[in-house]
Amino acid sequence: MEKITTHTGIGVPLRQSNVDTDQIIPAVYLKRITRTGFEDALFAAWRKDENFILNREPFNRGSVLVAGPDFATGSSREHAVWALKDFGFRAVLSSRFADIFRGNSGKQGLVAAQVAQDDIELIWKELENHPGTEITVDLEARLVTCGSIVAPFQIDDYTRWRLLEGLDDIGLTLRHEEAITAYEATRPGFKPTTLPART
Amino acid sequence: MGKTLAEKVWESHIVRRGEVVNGQAEPDLLYIDLHLVHEVTSPQAFEGLRLAGRKLRRPDLTIATEDHNTPTINIDRPIADPTSRTQIETLRANCREFGVRLHSLGDAQQGIVHIIGPQLGLTQPGMTVVCGDSHTSTHGAFGSLAMGIGTSEVEHVMATQTLPLTPFKTMAINVEGTLKPGVTSKDIILAVIAKIGTGGGQGYVLEYRGSAIRALSMDARMTICNMSIEAGARAGMVAPDETTFEYLLGRPHAPQGADWDAAVEYWRTLRTDDDATFDAEVFLDANELEPFVTWGTNPGQGVSLSQSVPAPDDFADENEKAACKRALDYMALEAGTPMKDIRVDTVFLGSCTNSRVEDLRLAADIIRGRQKDPNIRMMVVPGSARVRLEAEAEGLDKVFKDFGAEWRFAGCSMCLGMNPDQLAPGERCASTSNRNFEGRQGKGGRTHLVSPVVAAATAVRGTLSSPSDLDPVPPAAALPADDGTTSHAA
């Protein structure tokens, strides 16, 4: 994974709460077996409307999405993160994220920055009044800057550290392989196994 | 101080406690007892293993099935859509290569991943269960800690049989009292979500407690835990009890002999201690609950069936006001319309929320001897091939077919509109599934989430209805004699 310390790009105001995973990427796009190439799938239904924000200049070049509360509720589909990244997004700001989406983002180098709703409102106004305004997401300082607005954001320590260092989760865990093997030796014998198959 | 059920399960799975390194708190590393796999969220994970030259650590704790992207008719023919066919074939090739047990379409154990785990007795109390699907929370009904994960985490579990997880907060959902006839566990969970909101459970593991929960069957408890994710929670749990043990006894993968005794002794310790405290508590009166139904485009936008469609001004919060306005527009509903006046086109009985044999019985008991509204299309999709066989052994398939419903093969089907089972634009559906998102059941489709009995009553009347709205069945038509229409309620 690439290291991320700060990112600066055009902010996109998405004035909506409960932007669910089925809006971010409808299920029909989940038939693909690749991890990339989902840019066409992002907000596929909404993008049919030519007035949708991502169809308008300069927002179609945006890389920081600023959404209402409860962003990415619903499905566990990591495709939602892949689609946002493939379109060009590097960070999403919201006052509340679905847990699974937040986890998925951290694994894929998309910064899910939790910003207070009052600050989101200020940033929305700034972006709407001055389209094309850039937002800087500073992961080290945990601050977002948009015009004259400077707001703190929350992200858990471990995810932030992994993003800053660009570390692979599986590699980190496998450093503790001995602990895994030791734990396995203590598992009770009555715990089920799938093999040999019984039906 | 005592521990909650969730904390006990968590503690017993810690492989390595997180340390504070350079000022950064590491998450705990937890062992995973069971990994459920399906065709949609696994291909990229298997590919990741291959690219890194890693092995699947524990094929014997892994099981796969085909459910999301499979057809529910003509299952003996090749899958028509080439992309879907490739996805299924990819799963089959991956399972062969990595030695994973797979229940394919046509196999008697195939079905929705969250139906087959419990059915095989693989889901047991006190386990950690994960799957690349948010409705993994279903398995919490057994007192296991069960979580939906993304594809990167699927790959992580494949490679290490563990997950690094930051501790959750705990929330008690206390439901005391007795459900009225015609009110089911689906109504409990829809009411919970309406009460705490789609983000209300965020960061929490929910524990459903109280006399109303204890009175529920395992099938009904699974419905509640299934939709924990719709309240934003990472998991939902019910402490195991005699009902749980009775369900498990004799299942193919349940412990046997001395193992059974040892397991039950351990399972009995899996309850929240009397002196434990939760980070949050919610109370619900089961006596007051009515059949519940959603009017909007997120599962929190629900009301009792006897109420009316709300207006944007009924909400104080600006975001909720805007969400209501948008939802009414999408759903083509006018504020103030009684929910029972809403006419639907399709009734979908299925999904990991409500497709177990008890759900099918509940619905069959309502429609037996009654006529379907001629304008309604009703689709019945059993949760697994085994559920379908059990239902057929009881003659439920005949009840549905006589009524004019389609009796299909097992899968996720119209719950997520990935296979050909989809709503047409503008089509309105009363659905026993779990999500009423825009376009969820097909582009432009409109979804009202309901219980199996409301789905059945709606298919009779053509408008959103509860069983109490139905005329009595004429005595002759009710034959063969049945043990009553409400005996399975709750």
Side-chain angles (χ1 to χ4, degrees):
Chain A
M1 198 161 70
E2 261 180 63
K3 291 185 185 185
I4 309 167
T5 48
T6 67
H7 170 77
T8 300
I10 293 174
V12 179
L14 186 60
R15 258 190 199 270
Q16 220 167 297
S17 59
N18 269 294
V19 175
D20 60 70
T21 47
D22 289 61
Q23 306 318 312
I24 299 172
I25 179 167
V28 290
Y29 293 95
L30 312 186
K31 297 179 182 183
R32 300 174 186 171
I33 57 170
T34 56
R35 220 183 257 257
T36 55
F38 289 94
E39 60 275 8
D40 60 324
L42 182 70
F43 295 118
W46 293 352
R47 268 159 80 190
K48 299 230 160 54
D49 171 4
E50 60 183 28
N51 292 318
F52 181 60
I53 192 126
L54 290 184
N55 290 333
R56 290 167 13 211
E57 278 279 347
F59 301 115
N60 56 353
R61 291 180 280 118
S63 65
V64 181
L65 188 64
V66 187
D70 297 315
F71 185 76
T73 50
S75 151
S76 64
R77 57 189 71 163
E78 197 161 304
H79 309 66
V81 175
W82 302 335
L84 284 161
K85 281 200 73 183
D86 287 348
F87 187 87
F89 285 106
R90 292 295 171 265
V92 183
L93 278 46
S94 169
S95 63
R96 214 156 51 199
F97 291 97
D99 276 330
I100 305 179
F101 175 84
R102 196 210 316 259
N104 290 343
S105 298
K107 313 285 179 194
Q108 291 295 318
L110 178 74
V111 180
Q114 193 177 325
V115 176
Q117 185 60 27
D118 288 349
D119 291 324
I120 295 275
E121 302 276 352
L122 293 174
I123 295 170
W124 277 343
K125 279 192 194 119
E126 176 72 19
L127 296 174
E128 285 161 359
N129 292 335
H130 306 285
T133 301
E134 290 193 326
I135 295 178
T136 295
V137 179
D138 183 339
L139 195 56
E140 257 173 327
R142 292 187 225 226
L143 287 175
V144 289
T145 310
C146 177
S148 59
I149 306 158
V150 181
F153 70 84
Q154 290 178 30
I155 186 166
D156 75 86
D157 287 349
Y158 183 70
T159 302
R160 173 176 167 274
W161 171 71
R162 273 197 316 100
L163 292 171
L164 288 170
E165 300 291 331
L167 293 169
D168 164 43
D169 229 15
I170 298 177
L172 288 174
T173 295
L174 286 175
R175 291 180 312 172
H176 307 302
E177 197 172 359
E178 279 179 21
I180 300 173
T181 305
Y183 178 89
E184 281 175 332
T186 68
R187 294 179 75 235
F190 59 74
K191 292 256 184 179
T193 57
T194 57
L195 298 171
R198 303 208 295 254
T199 57
Chain B
M1 199 180 67
K3 290 196 171 85
T4 62
L5 167 62
E7 287 161 350
K8 287 182 184 181
V9 179
W10 180 280
E11 290 285 325
S12 67
H13 287 83
I14 295 179
V15 166
R16 181 179 172 276
R17 216 173 274 281
E19 292 170 7
V20 177
V21 181
N22 304 327
Q24 315 290 344
E26 289 178 312
D28 291 341
L29 190 63
L30 261 66
Y31 200 78
I32 303 301
D33 289 320
L34 180 65
H35 187 191
L36 305 156
V37 172
H38 63 88
E39 73 274 21
V40 177
T41 56
S42 69
Q44 299 86 353
F46 280 116
E47 182 67 9
L49 285 190
R50 250 191 307 269
L51 289 173
R54 289 175 176 140
K55 280 195 204 148
L56 174 62
R57 185 178 177 92
R58 293 297 298 264
D60 62 333
L61 302 181
T62 312
I63 186 168
T65 191
E66 301 163 359
D67 57 1
H68 281 65
N69 195 9
T70 50
T72 55
I73 49 170
N74 302 326
I75 62 165
D76 52 341
R77 296 188 206 155
I79 297 172
D81 175 4
T83 324
S84 298
R85 195 165 62 232
T86 300
Q87 191 167 51
I88 296 292
E89 283 168 358
T90 303
L91 178 70
R92 291 176 186 173
N94 283 329
C95 287
R96 267 196 306 274
E97 180 182 342
F98 288 92
V100 176
R101 171 177 173 185
L102 169 66
H103 292 295
S104 278
L105 197 58
D107 180 313
Q109 302 302 332
Q110 175 267 344
I112 305 176
V113 69
H114 308 308
I115 308 286
I116 70 162
Q119 180 180 284
L120 286 165
L122 283 167
T123 304
Q124 297 173 15
M127 291 172 60
T128 46
V129 180
V130 299
C131 174
D133 186 277
S134 59
H135 290 111
T136 308
S137 57
T138 311
H139 306 265
F142 291 80
S144 65
L145 186 62
M147 292 163 292
I149 56 176
T151 296
S152 291
E153 289 172 309
V154 169
E155 184 180 337
H156 193 287
V157 175
M158 285 175 170
T160 70
Q161 203 59 34
T162 64
L163 271 183
L165 295 166
T166 37
F168 306 122
K169 291 177 285 181
T170 56
M171 185 187 292
I173 309 280
N174 301 291
V175 192
E176 296 289 350
T178 310
L179 294 175
K180 287 184 257 195
V183 182
T184 69
S185 65
K186 181 66 164 282
D187 305 303
I188 294 180
I189 189 60
L190 285 174
V192 167
I193 300 162
K195 188 170 176 129
I196 70 174
T198 56
Q202 200 225 306
Y204 288 94
V205 172
L206 313 183
E207 184 184 330
Y208 303 96
R209 300 156 59 82
S211 55
I213 303 296
R214 296 263 75 90
L216 296 173
S217 69
M218 288 312 295
D219 282 7
R221 292 178 190 181
M222 282 188 256
T223 300
I224 293 194
C225 288
N226 170 274
M227 289 189 72
S228 302
I229 184 71
E230 267 62 63
R234 195 71 197 261
M237 303 174 89
V238 175
D241 58 13
E242 296 305 321
T243 304
T244 320
F245 310 151
E246 198 180 306
Y247 177 98
L248 280 165
L249 185 65
R251 300 250 163 205
H253 285 275
Q256 294 171 349
D259 273 349
W260 172 263
D261 297 335
V264 172
E265 194 187 335
Y266 167 61
W267 295 345
R268 286 190 199 282
T269 68
L270 296 171
R271 51 183 291 281
T272 293
D273 295 327
D274 293 338
D275 56 342
T277 52
F278 291 93
D279 297 306
E281 287 210 65
V282 171
F283 296 88
L284 209 66
D285 184 355
N287 302 306
E288 296 298 311
L289 269 184
E290 291 182 54
F292 224 79
V293 57
T294 61
W295 52 267
T297 53
N298 76 57
Q301 293 176 321
V303 289
S304 289
L305 189 51
S306 57
Q307 293 179 289
S308 299
V309 177
D313 286 342
D314 295 343
F315 299 91
D317 178 84
E318 283 303 317
N319 278 304
E320 282 188 50
K321 214 186 272 286
C324 173
K325 195 165 172 298
R326 189 183 166 95
L328 295 187
D329 187 41
Y330 181 84
M331 294 295 287
L333 290 175
E334 265 184 56
T337 307
M339 291 307 296
K340 287 189 179 178
D341 285 359
I342 298 172
R343 178 156 280 283
V344 309
D345 307 299
T346 293
V347 170
F348 173 63
L349 177 58
S351 87
C352 56
T353 311
N354 280 128
S355 66
R356 286 166 284 269
V357 73
E358 180 180 282
D359 300 311
L360 303 187
R361 280 187 203 129
L362 282 170
D365 284 349
I366 303 294
I367 65 174
R368 190 177 282 116
R370 291 193 162 99
Q371 296 288 317
K372 182 172 70 64
D373 180 282
N375 296 317
I376 291 267
R377 164 172 74 137
M378 184 175 186
M379 203 191 248
V380 184
V381 184
S384 69
R386 178 66 58 198
V387 167
R388 187 180 144 102
L389 289 170
E390 278 180 40
E392 287 177 351
E394 295 178 22
L396 302 183
D397 59 321
K398 190 166 182 311
V399 175
F400 289 117
K401 285 190 244 176
D402 288 349
F403 183 69
E406 297 169 33
W407 178 246
R408 299 233 176 184
F409 288 88
C412 300
S413 181
M414 197 186 262
C415 174
L416 86 162
M418 195 169 171
N419 77 352
D421 308 346
Q422 296 186 19
L423 295 178
E427 203 176 342
R428 189 181 297 280
C429 180
S431 177
T432 65
S433 58
N434 41 59
R435 289 188 180 135
N436 51 344
F437 297 159
E438 289 180 25
R440 168 81 177 179
Q441 297 192 286
K443 207 166 75 185
R446 296 167 180 145
T447 303
H448 296 276
L449 301 178
V450 298
S451 73
V453 294
V454 169
T458 300
V460 174
R461 281 167 52 96
T463 49
L464 290 174
S465 303
S466 82
S468 60
D469 298 323
L470 299 176
D471 297 327
V473 179
L479 295 172
D482 189 67
D483 59 349
T485 54
T486 57
S487 62
H488 304 290

